[in-house]
Structures are given as structure tokens and as C-alpha cells.
Amino acid sequence: MSVFGNRPSEAQLTEFRERVRAHIAEHAPEFEAREGHRAPETPDQEARLRSWFAGLFEAGFAGADWPVEHGGRADHHPLHDRVVSEEILRARAPRPVDQVNLAAHVILHFGSDEQKRTLLPPIRRSEHVWCQLLSEPDAGSDIAAVRSRGARQDDGSWLIDGHKIWITDGHWADMGLALIRTDPASTRHHGLSVFAVPLSVDGVEVRPIRTIGDAIEVNEVFLTGVRVAAESLIGEEGQGWSIIMAGLDFERFGIGGNVILLELLIDDLVTVARHARIDGAPALESDDIRQQVAELSVEVEVAKAFIDDHVERLTSGDEQPGDGSIAKLSFAETYHRVAAYGAALAASVTAVGAADQDVRRAKQRLRECWLWSRAYTISGGSSEMMRNILAKRRLHLPSR
């Protein structure tokens, strides 16, 4: 018995998919989404992205899993989310910002009624893009090593000081979900709290970091004497670790759900191998290349099979501990292997003939995916951290 209500029939899902495709065809920005270049590069691109994201909310394709009183759909089922994700990815249209989804779910699950009333509507209108103010210098993926401090003032407000790094979308975000140490005597997972921080307030400085792909996707954020209202605290003081972990579990499965990106990578890899040439012959006629493409295609199918199985168990209420981490790990590592091989192949072959333009575009996408692929092995928790989580939660191995 599904915990999400009646499962849509195949006919209903097909009709829903057709509506999603029609919406994308009519409203998606004309520029193609590029891996490692997802943030807007001009004011015009930003305006178009915000309009596109707001339209997805308005049409009921984004935020459909929210409570109805906050804009969700009464007939929502997780399979609808998967259809939307698949169609956006297959159309190579810009996909909604992951950090916005995480912030929304944190607010919905842990925010007060007043926070829901004030913070959720601007998300649906795309007036507020959110970022995660979690990672800090010298801490790697160990977000429990938070040193940013928050001190409660006599009037109930909070004064925040700290330094965050690798903040995706920080340079164009309006709000930040910040993990701050509010108990100066605490260590590790204890004494942490979560705040909603407007990035326009005094004391916030954002310094963009240019990536190896020559794009600005991540940033440093300095918090110097930042004063936020008492109402900016989300959940209870000291509850920060459990709040962020709940949000990251949602994000990790979202990353794993992008398995369609793996299919697109294979499509580009096959395009290059089939139409480009090595020593005058099609690259795919090489036994070594054909074998490698086949093996990577099998890896992609394995990742897809897990996602399919997990979605079925999720909708039936049979989700297992660590499933989100497995999804994230499976996607990220497979993506990196396919992209790395594709980029190497793209660099060694020559495009010729009628398919020349298609091959050039496929080669460019493979290079961009390879340059961005390491980010997937870190974002939402590094692959090493995912393995640690699985060792503890799934295999119940003892900690040292």
C-alpha cells in the first residue's frame, strides 16, 4: 500500500508527461543548460531563469509535494516529480536550483507558521533564490566542524560571524540557509543552529570563485557582525544538525534522481564514437572503444535500476536507511567515469562529414561534464562521506 496515496496509472502518467513537455516547449529559456555553467551569466539570463522557475511553480510542476495550503497539489505523487525532472533534463532545459528545494523542505518541516507564511511564497515566485551556507575552510565535507558563531543579543536578535566556502549560487542568491554554532562550549554535532540569512544585510560579503570550467558556480561568503532577527532561527536552538541532515537526505536523493544526465552522457559518447574518426575510420569500429562504451552503458543501466527500485520502495513505504546516499554515490561516481572517458575520447578524435556540428556539440558537452564531474562527488556530501554513512546506517559497522 503506497504511503503517498493512489499511484497514477500509466495512462495518467503519460498524460501528465505530455503536459510537462508542452510546458517546457512553450516556456523554457532558449539557451541550453550546460553542466558547470548553471548559474546565470548576465542579468537577462537571470531574469529568464527566475521567470522559468516561477512558471514551473505556477503550473504545479515544481513544489507540487508541498502541503496544499502552501501551493502544493492534492493529487501529487512522487512519480510526478520524476517525470518533471526527466523531461526538463531530456529537453536540456535549466533545472530548478537544488538549494531552493532543500531550503523549502527545511522550512516546511521545521519552520514556524510565520516563517512558512513569509519565506515560502517568495520561493514560489522565484523572488528568493536560496543557497546553503554549510561548508567551511579546512573542514572539507565535515560540516560538523562548524566554527562560525552566533551569539544571542539582549533584544533576542543574533549576531553571526564566520566564513563559509564552496557556496553554490551564492553570488546570485537572495537568502542563505546557514549552519551556525550557537553554543560556544559545544563540539561537533552539538550546539548547532540553523538560520535564514538575507544575503543583502550588512556584514555579508560574497566573493565568487571561478571554476576550472571558467564559470562562477561557487563562492566564499564572509559573515562579519551579521545581525539577524530572532525570527530567523529555524527550528529550536541546538537542533541544527538534525535539521540539516534531514535536508541533505532529501538533496542526496535528488542528485541521484538526475540519472537521466547519465543517459545524455552516453548519447553524447555514442555520437562522438559513431561519427568521429581515428586514423580515418569511425571510432566505434575500434574494439577497445566499443568495449569501453558498452561497459559504461552497463554502469548507467545499473544506476538507473537502483533508482527505479528505490522509487518503488519509497512510494510503498519500504525505504531503507542510506538509500539516498547510495543514490547520490551511484550517480556521482558513474557520471565522473563516463564523463572522464568521454572527454578523453573527444580529445583524440576528429569530427568529419554531415554530423560534424553534432559531434562538435557532443564533444563540448563531454568536456564540460568532465570538468564539472568532481563537483558531483563533493556536493551534498563527498563520496567518502557517503561511504561512511552507508557503513554506519546500512552495514552497522562500528565507529573507531
Side-chain angles (χ1 to χ4, degrees):
M1 178 67 179
S2 171
V3 297
F4 294 99
N6 293 331
R7 179 191 179 101
S9 67
E10 289 304 313
Q12 290 171 325
L13 284 177
T14 298
E15 187 274 334
F16 181 77
R17 189 180 297 274
E18 290 173 352
R19 285 197 286 121
V20 173
R21 286 178 178 172
H23 182 88
I24 293 171
E26 183 176 357
H27 298 288
E30 68 280 2
F31 48 87
E32 182 177 293
R34 298 168 60 194
E35 289 291 89
H37 296 258
R38 292 187 292 174
E41 298 178 349
T42 67
D44 178 66
Q45 275 194 0
E46 179 176 338
R48 290 173 183 268
L49 282 178
R50 288 181 184 266
S51 176
W52 161 238
F53 298 150
L56 289 172
F57 277 106
E58 185 177 359
F61 299 140
D65 58 336
W66 295 17
V68 173
E69 63 268 27
H70 294 296
R73 290 202 329 264
D75 67 342
H76 169 264
H77 190 278
L79 291 177
H80 292 138
D81 297 333
R82 192 172 190 198
V83 167
V84 173
S85 177
E86 287 176 350
E87 293 306 318
I88 288 176
L89 291 170
R90 287 194 174 113
R92 299 190 186 275
R95 56 192 188 274
V97 178
D98 297 332
Q99 291 74 23
V100 174
N101 292 333
L102 182 143
H105 280 262
V106 164
I107 295 165
L108 284 166
H109 286 90
F110 300 97
S112 66
D113 290 342
E114 179 61 23
Q115 287 170 334
K116 293 173 185 177
R117 282 193 295 269
T118 58
L119 296 177
L120 292 176
I123 289 178
R124 299 192 72 89
R125 297 191 298 266
S126 204
E127 294 170 1
H128 283 177
V129 169
W130 286 67
C131 63
Q132 300 171 28
L133 300 174
L134 305 182
S135 302
E136 297 193 359
D138 303 320
S141 292
D142 185 9
I143 61 175
V146 168
R147 291 181 292 185
S148 297
R149 300 300 175 110
R152 190 192 296 271
Q153 305 301 292
D154 292 339
D155 62 357
S157 65
W158 292 85
L159 205 61
I160 296 175
D161 290 275
H163 180 189
K164 301 290 185 175
I165 197 168
W166 311 122
I167 307 305
T168 304
D169 294 314
H171 60 299
W172 72 294
D174 308 282
M175 299 289 294
L177 193 69
L179 184 64
I180 304 295
R181 191 167 297 283
T182 50
D183 179 357
S186 67
T187 59
R188 302 296 298 161
H189 313 92
H190 306 287
L192 300 172
S193 301
V194 173
F195 293 88
V197 179
L199 298 189
S200 59
V201 300
D202 291 341
V204 176
E205 180 187 359
V206 179
R207 297 181 188 174
I209 300 172
R210 191 164 290 276
T211 67
I212 193 174
D214 195 29
I216 296 174
E217 293 283 312
V218 294
N219 307 263
E220 285 185 279
V221 178
F222 295 85
L223 307 166
T224 306
V226 174
R227 187 180 293 272
V228 296
E231 295 77 19
S232 296
L233 176 67
I234 297 179
E236 299 294 329
E237 181 181 347
Q239 193 184 8
W241 181 255
S242 59
I243 290 175
I244 291 300
M245 286 301 100
L248 287 179
D249 279 342
F250 169 81
E251 182 197 34
R252 284 167 189 151
F253 180 66
I255 292 173
N258 288 336
V259 70
I260 297 302
L261 288 172
L262 300 177
E263 293 185 3
L264 297 178
L265 270 177
I266 291 293
D267 289 344
D268 283 334
L269 179 57
V270 170
T271 295
V272 171
R274 177 172 292 151
H275 297 291
R277 294 180 176 270
I278 297 179
D279 298 329
L284 201 56
E285 289 186 4
S286 165
D287 290 342
D288 289 344
I289 292 175
R290 190 164 57 249
Q291 177 70 22
Q292 189 64 48
V293 171
E295 289 179 359
L296 290 172
S297 298
V298 169
E299 286 194 45
V300 167
E301 291 304 313
V302 169
K304 284 179 54 184
F306 171 78
I307 297 298
D308 289 340
D309 179 65
H310 177 60
V311 169
E312 290 300 318
R313 287 188 287 110
L314 178 67
T315 57
S316 64
D318 191 32
E319 186 179 14
Q320 301 298 310
D323 273 0
S325 295
I326 296 176
K328 196 272 180 184
L329 186 63
S330 177
F331 166 75
E333 294 296 326
T334 304
Y335 182 101
H336 174 67
R337 285 191 290 271
V338 177
Y341 179 77
L345 180 65
S348 65
V349 298
T350 303
V352 296
D356 182 71
Q357 181 63 25
D358 290 339
V359 174
R360 278 202 298 268
R361 293 177 64 190
K363 290 171 70 173
Q364 177 185 346
R365 285 195 291 257
L366 288 168
R367 283 193 295 268
E368 290 179 344
C369 289
W370 172 59
L371 292 174
W372 187 243
S373 64
R374 279 303 184 193
Y376 277 126
T377 67
I378 298 171
S379 62
S382 69
S383 293
E384 291 77 11
M385 294 296 289
M386 294 301 99
R387 293 184 177 100
N388 286 340
I389 290 172
L390 290 171
K392 294 177 182 179
R393 297 185 186 178
R394 193 65 162 252
L395 302 179
H396 304 293
L397 297 178
S399 300
R400 287 186 179 181

